[in-house]
Amino acid sequence: MTFGKHWIGLALGLVWTVCPARAAETGDSTKRTGFDYSVRLGTFLDNGEYNSDYKMPQTMSAAWITPTVGLRFEGRHRIMTGVSGLQEFGQKPFNKVPDLVAYYNYQGQVFTAFAGLFPREELKGDYPRAFFSDSVGYFKRTLAGALFRWEGKRGLLETFLDWNIQDTVQGKEAFMVGVSGHLQWGKYNQFQLGLVGTYYHYRLGQRAVDNGLAPHFLVDNAMYQAYGKFDFGKMTPLDTLSLDMGIVGSFSRGRPAVGHAGKWTARAGFQARLHVKWRGWGLEDTFFAGRGLMPLWNTYGTLVYWGDAFYNAPLYNRTDIYWSKTLASLLDIRLALVLHQTAQGVDFCQQATVQVHLWKK
């Protein structure tokens, strides 16, 4: 905490020293330094009733808050600092130390950038649940690294770096890089072509191998999705009417020893997703057919694979029946019944999320 306070004080002091002087020189009100804040808070409940080999029954519930304060200068620049805390229901209060949030943000007409420790909600790419399960969105609320995004009338391109582990004592390190982009065309941008990819590098360290804790000292996992999408929502009375289809795949390998590259295992399958929404009521159905995307799951599980464990099944269908509402552009509510269908049967869970975002511009 001492280091965090020192860093925050140094950053704020630097901005206060430099920016007012520049504003005074130009006399332009858009270049004045101003106070800024962002308060995000929410709660979630995910009750999974599972009876399959892919997932164990589990209830996830918590409340979280991410308050940040900082300075906005020259219209497009922000420096923000704060904390991100999460409290699981039924656990001892404050059993986890909140994460530090400290980042620089540039917001241009087309280009946006974040650097530092920033909220996960800043990701705008369309990452499938084969990449990130619902639980990742619930519990991993910050990214450590950088995010760059270009967004215009004809599409979006986003890339990020997220550093997860750096343990020099145990020899562990882990980071993820990702990219999401799509091109769109048509009078209502109803046609899209997209590509999504992530690469996760997890170094357990030679000590883990020597102690029999893992068969590999390093594991790599790359995920990708290539798809085409038809979005006819603006051409109908519906709020949303879209269908996307494409290929989802992975490349995994474990390196058993230093100097031994290991062998890549490739997996892939077909995925299609239908999304219909009208006046808050929605149906989202996702179908996957192919080889299970996580060949090292039985060894490493969620340590390496961040996607939904149901993507280990050769045939999988997920159906979300939900109601969602946004009030005053600040409050988002979503209630859902989710059905997971595999050859072993139908499993289901109930989900409820509430999120409030107050942001001063």
Side-chain angles (χ1 to χ4, degrees):
M1 293 302 291
T2 302
F3 174 76
K5 292 180 180 179
H6 175 73
W7 194 97
I8 295 170
L10 179 62
L12 293 179
L14 178 62
V15 174
W16 274 115
T17 302
V18 176
C19 295
R22 294 190 63 186
E25 291 174 2
T26 62
D28 188 345
S29 61
T30 63
K31 297 184 180 298
R32 293 175 183 171
T33 302
F35 175 73
D36 203 348
Y37 71 85
S38 174
V39 180
R40 306 171 192 252
L41 57 94
T43 184
F44 62 84
L45 171 65
D46 189 316
N47 181 44
E49 304 287 346
Y50 305 125
N51 185 26
S52 74
D53 296 334
Y54 304 109
K55 271 191 175 182
M56 298 291 292
Q58 184 181 19
T59 298
M60 298 176 288
S61 57
W64 56 270
I65 184 169
T66 306
T68 57
V69 297
L71 300 175
R72 180 182 295 273
F73 55 98
E74 296 191 359
R76 298 181 176 181
H77 305 267
R78 289 193 305 154
I79 291 181
M80 305 293 290
T81 59
V83 295
S84 180
L86 183 145
Q87 177 61 50
E88 294 185 68
F89 296 160
Q91 298 291 327
K92 183 179 179 180
F94 312 114
N95 62 327
K96 295 182 180 179
V97 178
D99 295 328
L100 173 68
V101 176
Y103 63 91
Y104 162 78
N105 168 224
Y106 172 82
Q107 182 67 58
Q109 292 183 348
V110 176
F111 177 68
T112 301
F114 291 84
L117 305 165
F118 53 93
R120 185 179 189 85
E121 285 88 352
E122 301 299 347
L123 288 176
K124 304 301 181 185
D126 189 7
Y127 303 95
R129 291 187 177 91
F131 288 34
F132 301 117
S133 67
D134 293 331
S135 59
V136 173
Y138 294 151
F139 292 100
K140 193 180 188 314
R141 307 219 59 85
T142 58
L143 274 71
L147 167 65
F148 305 101
R149 182 168 58 249
W150 294 263
E151 187 172 7
K153 295 181 180 179
R154 293 305 175 194
L156 175 148
L157 176 62
E158 173 181 272
T159 182
F160 70 88
L161 165 67
D162 181 21
W163 199 280
N164 305 119
I165 301 174
Q166 182 65 53
D167 187 341
T168 57
V169 176
Q170 298 294 328
K172 292 185 177 182
E173 67 178 22
F175 65 84
M176 176 179 287
V177 293
V179 62
S180 176
H182 69 263
L183 294 174
Q184 57 193 25
W185 67 93
K187 183 178 179 180
Y188 300 102
N189 290 326
Q190 64 266 36
F191 305 111
Q192 291 185 12
L193 288 177
L195 181 66
V196 187
T198 58
Y199 168 72
Y200 186 59
H201 172 95
Y202 181 40
R203 187 183 192 277
L204 295 89
Q206 190 61 42
R207 181 177 298 182
V209 178
D210 295 339
N211 293 337
L213 301 177
H216 307 102
F217 84 100
L218 194 153
V219 181
D220 297 305
N221 181 56
M223 305 285 295
Y224 68 90
Q225 180 190 33
Y227 65 91
K229 182 176 182 179
F230 306 92
D231 189 346
F232 300 118
K234 295 181 180 179
M235 304 169 64
T236 71
L238 300 172
D239 299 322
T240 301
L241 176 60
S242 66
L243 173 66
D244 62 76
M245 297 177 289
I247 298 174
V248 179
S250 67
F251 295 94
S252 301
R253 70 170 174 178
R255 306 186 194 182
V258 177
H260 192 296
K263 181 180 179 181
W264 289 99
T265 300
R267 298 288 178 87
F270 169 80
Q271 177 168 288
R273 179 178 57 172
L274 173 67
H275 190 190
V276 181
K277 184 179 179 181
W278 182 68
R279 295 188 177 182
W281 294 95
L283 171 71
E284 182 178 354
D285 192 83
T286 305
F287 172 77
F288 170 80
R291 299 192 66 187
L293 299 180
M294 308 172 189
L296 300 178
W297 175 269
N298 291 335
T299 303
Y300 297 105
T302 56
L303 293 177
V304 171
Y305 300 106
W306 292 25
D308 196 312
F310 279 111
Y311 278 89
N312 282 308
L315 285 174
Y316 169 53
N317 194 85
R318 170 175 171 147
T319 304
D320 289 54
I321 304 170
Y322 69 89
W323 175 82
S324 66
K325 191 71 173 179
T326 299
L327 303 176
S329 300
L330 300 173
L331 175 63
D332 292 312
I333 304 172
R334 187 178 190 271
L335 305 175
L337 174 65
V338 182
L339 306 176
H340 301 275
Q341 304 143 64
T342 66
Q344 297 182 359
V346 179
D347 299 284
F348 67 94
C349 67
Q350 309 91 41
Q351 296 179 342
T353 59
V354 178
Q355 179 171 325
V356 180
H357 186 194
L358 304 177
W359 183 20
K360 177 180 173 64
K361 292 187 177 181

PDB file of all heavy atoms in Angstrom, residues 135-147:
ATOM      1  N   SER A 135     -17.514 -16.830 -15.493  1.00  0.00           N
ATOM      2  CA  SER A 135     -16.830 -16.610 -14.220  1.00  0.00           C
ATOM      3  C   SER A 135     -15.631 -15.679 -14.371  1.00  0.00           C
ATOM      4  O   SER A 135     -15.289 -14.948 -13.431  1.00  0.00           O
ATOM      5  CB  SER A 135     -16.389 -17.937 -13.607  1.00  0.00           C
ATOM      6  OG  SER A 135     -15.516 -18.628 -14.473  1.00  0.00           O
ATOM      7  N   VAL A 136     -14.981 -15.687 -15.531  1.00  0.00           N
ATOM      8  CA  VAL A 136     -13.873 -14.757 -15.758  1.00  0.00           C
ATOM      9  C   VAL A 136     -14.390 -13.321 -15.697  1.00  0.00           C
ATOM     10  O   VAL A 136     -13.783 -12.445 -15.078  1.00  0.00           O
ATOM     11  CB  VAL A 136     -13.193 -15.029 -17.113  1.00  0.00           C
ATOM     12  CG1 VAL A 136     -12.163 -13.952 -17.433  1.00  0.00           C
ATOM     13  CG2 VAL A 136     -12.515 -16.392 -17.095  1.00  0.00           C
ATOM     14  N   GLY A 137     -15.528 -13.074 -16.335  1.00  0.00           N
ATOM     15  CA  GLY A 137     -16.116 -11.746 -16.277  1.00  0.00           C
ATOM     16  C   GLY A 137     -16.555 -11.354 -14.883  1.00  0.00           C
ATOM     17  O   GLY A 137     -16.504 -10.184 -14.510  1.00  0.00           O
ATOM     18  N   TYR A 138     -16.982 -12.329 -14.096  1.00  0.00           N
ATOM     19  CA  TYR A 138     -17.406 -12.032 -12.728  1.00  0.00           C
ATOM     20  C   TYR A 138     -16.243 -11.621 -11.837  1.00  0.00           C
ATOM     21  O   TYR A 138     -16.326 -10.622 -11.113  1.00  0.00           O
ATOM     22  CB  TYR A 138     -18.068 -13.267 -12.102  1.00  0.00           C
ATOM     23  CG  TYR A 138     -19.372 -13.695 -12.719  1.00  0.00           C
ATOM     24  CD1 TYR A 138     -19.758 -15.042 -12.693  1.00  0.00           C
ATOM     25  CD2 TYR A 138     -20.236 -12.792 -13.321  1.00  0.00           C
ATOM     26  CE1 TYR A 138     -20.953 -15.460 -13.246  1.00  0.00           C
ATOM     27  CE2 TYR A 138     -21.430 -13.204 -13.882  1.00  0.00           C
ATOM     28  CZ  TYR A 138     -21.782 -14.540 -13.840  1.00  0.00           C
ATOM     29  OH  TYR A 138     -22.970 -14.951 -14.397  1.00  0.00           O
ATOM     30  N   PHE A 139     -15.172 -12.411 -11.862  1.00  0.00           N
ATOM     31  CA  PHE A 139     -14.138 -12.287 -10.845  1.00  0.00           C
ATOM     32  C   PHE A 139     -12.873 -11.543 -11.296  1.00  0.00           C
ATOM     33  O   PHE A 139     -12.191 -10.978 -10.464  1.00  0.00           O
ATOM     34  CB  PHE A 139     -13.736 -13.676 -10.336  1.00  0.00           C
ATOM     35  CG  PHE A 139     -14.820 -14.354  -9.548  1.00  0.00           C
ATOM     36  CD1 PHE A 139     -15.622 -15.329 -10.123  1.00  0.00           C
ATOM     37  CD2 PHE A 139     -15.061 -14.012  -8.231  1.00  0.00           C
ATOM     38  CE1 PHE A 139     -16.632 -15.948  -9.405  1.00  0.00           C
ATOM     39  CE2 PHE A 139     -16.064 -14.631  -7.492  1.00  0.00           C
ATOM     40  CZ  PHE A 139     -16.849 -15.604  -8.084  1.00  0.00           C
ATOM     41  N   LYS A 140     -12.552 -11.569 -12.561  1.00  0.00           N
ATOM     42  CA  LYS A 140     -11.345 -10.868 -13.015  1.00  0.00           C
ATOM     43  C   LYS A 140     -11.751  -9.497 -13.532  1.00  0.00           C
ATOM     44  O   LYS A 140     -12.012  -9.297 -14.709  1.00  0.00           O
ATOM     45  CB  LYS A 140     -10.602 -11.653 -14.099  1.00  0.00           C
ATOM     46  CG  LYS A 140      -9.201 -11.104 -14.347  1.00  0.00           C
ATOM     47  CD  LYS A 140      -8.465 -11.867 -15.403  1.00  0.00           C
ATOM     48  CE  LYS A 140      -7.017 -11.443 -15.499  1.00  0.00           C
ATOM     49  NZ  LYS A 140      -6.811  -9.984 -15.501  1.00  0.00           N
ATOM     50  N   ARG A 141     -11.755  -8.523 -12.661  1.00  0.00           N
ATOM     51  CA  ARG A 141     -12.345  -7.230 -12.967  1.00  0.00           C
ATOM     52  C   ARG A 141     -11.344  -6.212 -13.489  1.00  0.00           C
ATOM     53  O   ARG A 141     -11.741  -5.101 -13.878  1.00  0.00           O
ATOM     54  CB  ARG A 141     -13.051  -6.677 -11.727  1.00  0.00           C
ATOM     55  CG  ARG A 141     -14.071  -7.685 -11.134  1.00  0.00           C
ATOM     56  CD  ARG A 141     -15.286  -6.988 -10.654  1.00  0.00           C
ATOM     57  NE  ARG A 141     -15.930  -6.250 -11.724  1.00  0.00           N
ATOM     58  CZ  ARG A 141     -16.796  -6.786 -12.579  1.00  0.00           C
ATOM     59  NH1 ARG A 141     -17.124  -8.059 -12.497  1.00  0.00           N
ATOM     60  NH2 ARG A 141     -17.334  -6.040 -13.520  1.00  0.00           N
ATOM     61  N   THR A 142     -10.044  -6.527 -13.469  1.00  0.00           N
ATOM     62  CA  THR A 142      -9.052  -5.582 -13.967  1.00  0.00           C
ATOM     63  C   THR A 142      -8.078  -6.281 -14.909  1.00  0.00           C
ATOM     64  O   THR A 142      -7.883  -7.499 -14.839  1.00  0.00           O
ATOM     65  CB  THR A 142      -8.250  -4.950 -12.819  1.00  0.00           C
ATOM     66  OG1 THR A 142      -7.611  -5.984 -12.057  1.00  0.00           O
ATOM     67  CG2 THR A 142      -9.154  -4.159 -11.885  1.00  0.00           C
ATOM     68  N   LEU A 143      -7.468  -5.494 -15.787  1.00  0.00           N
ATOM     69  CA  LEU A 143      -6.397  -5.952 -16.662  1.00  0.00           C
ATOM     70  C   LEU A 143      -5.135  -5.174 -16.320  1.00  0.00           C
ATOM     71  O   LEU A 143      -5.207  -3.987 -15.958  1.00  0.00           O
ATOM     72  CB  LEU A 143      -6.741  -5.740 -18.136  1.00  0.00           C
ATOM     73  CG  LEU A 143      -7.552  -6.852 -18.825  1.00  0.00           C
ATOM     74  CD1 LEU A 143      -8.976  -6.875 -18.310  1.00  0.00           C
ATOM     75  CD2 LEU A 143      -7.543  -6.659 -20.342  1.00  0.00           C
ATOM     76  N   ALA A 144      -3.996  -5.838 -16.436  1.00  0.00           N
ATOM     77  CA  ALA A 144      -2.708  -5.211 -16.149  1.00  0.00           C
ATOM     78  C   ALA A 144      -1.884  -5.198 -17.429  1.00  0.00           C
ATOM     79  O   ALA A 144      -1.411  -6.242 -17.865  1.00  0.00           O
ATOM     80  CB  ALA A 144      -1.964  -5.972 -15.047  1.00  0.00           C
ATOM     81  N   GLY A 145      -1.750  -4.042 -18.030  1.00  0.00           N
ATOM     82  CA  GLY A 145      -0.997  -3.966 -19.273  1.00  0.00           C
ATOM     83  C   GLY A 145      -1.452  -2.810 -20.125  1.00  0.00           C
ATOM     84  O   GLY A 145      -1.357  -1.648 -19.711  1.00  0.00           O
ATOM     85  N   ALA A 146      -1.977  -3.109 -21.308  1.00  0.00           N
ATOM     86  CA  ALA A 146      -2.355  -2.054 -22.246  1.00  0.00           C
ATOM     87  C   ALA A 146      -3.492  -2.525 -23.140  1.00  0.00           C
ATOM     88  O   ALA A 146      -3.684  -3.724 -23.362  1.00  0.00           O
ATOM     89  CB  ALA A 146      -1.154  -1.641 -23.091  1.00  0.00           C
ATOM     90  N   LEU A 147      -4.223  -1.555 -23.662  1.00  0.00           N
ATOM     91  CA  LEU A 147      -5.333  -1.802 -24.584  1.00  0.00           C
ATOM     92  C   LEU A 147      -5.320  -0.710 -25.644  1.00  0.00           C
ATOM     93  O   LEU A 147      -5.231   0.478 -25.315  1.00  0.00           O
ATOM     94  CB  LEU A 147      -6.662  -1.786 -23.830  1.00  0.00           C
ATOM     95  CG  LEU A 147      -7.954  -1.711 -24.659  1.00  0.00           C
ATOM     96  CD1 LEU A 147      -8.126  -2.963 -25.492  1.00  0.00           C
ATOM     97  CD2 LEU A 147      -9.160  -1.491 -23.752  1.00  0.00           C
TER      98      LEU A 147
END
